Amino acid sequence: TLFILLEGLLDVLIERDGQARKVAMIEPGQCFGEMSLLTGEHRSATVISATDSVVYEISKEPIIHIMRNRPELAEGLSRVLAHRQLVTSQALEPHAVGEENEVFESFAGQLLHRMRDFLGASRLYSAK
């Protein structure tokens, strides 16, 4: 499932070498859990509430329905996912490769392919 934060603040933690490390903060209007929902990967981070919070949960089927009606969203989401992955990599390893355009575009393309495989390209891009 994917979660959308409506109110509050959430901390994003990733465990490295037995230590939980804060890598980001989620603010109202932002989402989390999208990588797992869109690619089927195991969740790689823990999200905890920093303040009282309200979140909505969206499962896979409504997302497929939305993307069937708006297939361009898959490309946009792949770019959001690529950006988040690169920011997280930088937070964990400051010496990691930055967000050079070539690296970013390649990663976004890979994610789009994985999303189409996991969600079923024929289901997403069938004629209306």
Side-chain angles (χ1 to χ4, degrees):
T1 56
L2 163 82
F3 300 89
I4 300 172
L5 178 64
L6 297 178
E7 298 174 15
L9 296 171
L10 306 172
D11 289 331
V12 179
L13 307 171
I14 292 183
E15 189 172 319
R16 263 295 155 95
D17 301 322
Q19 297 275 338
R21 187 165 169 197
K22 181 178 172 182
V23 294
M25 178 169 272
I26 298 172
E27 298 177 343
Q30 294 180 320
C31 63
F32 61 99
E34 68 282 350
M35 184 69 85
S36 179
L37 173 73
L38 297 172
T39 66
E41 291 183 11
H42 293 287
R43 299 196 189 275
S44 60
T46 299
V47 176
I48 61 171
S49 185
T51 66
D52 288 342
S53 302
V54 176
V55 297
Y56 278 156
E57 180 179 16
I58 303 173
S59 64
K60 184 178 174 182
E61 286 307 314
I63 293 294
I64 289 173
H65 176 75
I66 291 167
M67 287 188 184
R68 182 179 292 146
N69 292 315
R70 301 275 313 272
E72 69 276 9
L73 289 178
E75 185 173 341
L77 283 170
S78 70
R79 297 178 72 73
V80 168
L81 294 175
H83 174 76
R84 279 201 179 167
Q85 290 291 98
L86 291 171
V87 167
T88 299
S89 293
Q90 281 292 101
L92 290 171
E93 299 178 31
H95 299 52
V97 175
E99 194 176 329
E100 290 89 10
N101 196 42
E102 221 174 89
V103 172
F104 175 77
E105 292 299 330
S106 172
F107 192 50
Q110 291 170 18
L111 285 169
L112 181 59
H113 180 73
R114 287 171 32 209
M115 287 167 54
R116 286 179 174 159
D117 282 350
F118 180 69
L119 296 175
S122 61
R123 294 175 70 190
L124 287 181
Y125 304 103
S126 59
K128 291 182 185 179

